[in-house]
Amino acid sequence: MIIIKPSIIILILLFILSCGVVRNASKSNDQAKIQGVWLAQTESVNGIKKDVSFIYVFKEDKITFTDETGKEVNYFFKLDTNSNPKLIIIQPEEMLSDSKPVSVAYELDRDLLKIVVAPPGLIPLEISDKNNQELIICKRKSL
């Protein structure tokens, strides 16, 4: 018969609880890290790359996208950091009867943001420009 000391049980419980805290901290951490102005540098699909100059502004739970003509579109967003790859779930601010949330993949590494948009009706399965996915590379705007 094995007897486990109460102190070992407490240590195991603390370890399990701390793992949950770290996972939740990652969620809020990405939400905080993605805030700000991101300048799109390149866009590629199936290895064909081109330079672009549009802007994403993340502020709280909203994204403002400005295209190369200066037209702005506003979205609400939330992050799904539990999926692999991580997802940004966006919904147009102007709710249309046929508008559904769209999931785009993302990878955030300091001042580099990669966004992957899959063909209509699909969710990106990886951070790449393969299979007709659009890979957008953004850099954080310096202050």
Side-chain angles (χ1 to χ4, degrees):
M1 182 162 128
I2 299 174
I3 299 175
I4 299 176
K5 293 183 179 183
S7 60
I8 293 176
I9 293 173
I10 291 171
L11 285 174
I12 292 170
L13 288 173
L14 286 173
F15 174 75
I16 292 169
L17 290 173
S18 69
C19 288
V21 168
V22 169
R23 188 176 303 128
N24 289 336
S26 171
K27 284 185 191 179
S28 62
N29 213 4
D30 272 6
Q31 182 73 22
K33 287 179 180 179
I34 205 167
Q35 301 294 309
V37 178
W38 295 89
L39 307 173
Q41 307 288 304
T42 61
E43 154 184 280
S44 61
V45 177
N46 297 325
I48 300 170
K49 185 176 172 181
K50 68 177 184 176
D51 293 334
V52 293
S53 61
F54 33 86
I55 301 169
Y56 297 93
V57 178
F58 289 82
K59 185 174 182 183
E60 297 173 4
D61 65 344
K62 294 183 182 176
I63 302 172
T64 300
F65 169 73
T66 307
D67 70 13
E68 294 168 318
T69 67
K71 180 182 175 189
E72 287 187 359
V73 182
N74 296 303
Y75 301 92
F76 289 106
F77 82 95
K78 66 180 180 176
L79 300 179
D80 179 356
T81 57
N82 292 321
S83 63
N84 187 16
K86 295 178 182 179
L87 298 172
I88 303 171
I89 302 163
I90 59 174
Q91 177 76 42
E93 197 173 61
E94 294 180 20
M95 297 292 288
L96 305 173
S97 60
D98 63 344
S99 66
K100 296 178 183 172
V102 174
S103 297
V104 298
Y106 78 96
E107 184 177 277
L108 183 58
D109 184 21
R110 298 184 188 164
D111 291 336
L112 183 67
L113 174 64
K114 295 179 182 177
I115 299 172
V116 179
V117 181
L122 300 176
I123 296 176
L125 300 176
E126 63 183 337
I127 304 294
S128 79
D129 69 350
K130 297 176 185 172
N131 301 315
N132 296 319
Q133 296 185 138
E134 178 182 8
L135 173 63
I136 303 163
I137 307 293
C138 306
K139 290 188 180 179
R140 185 182 300 276
K141 182 179 179 182
S142 316
L143 297 177

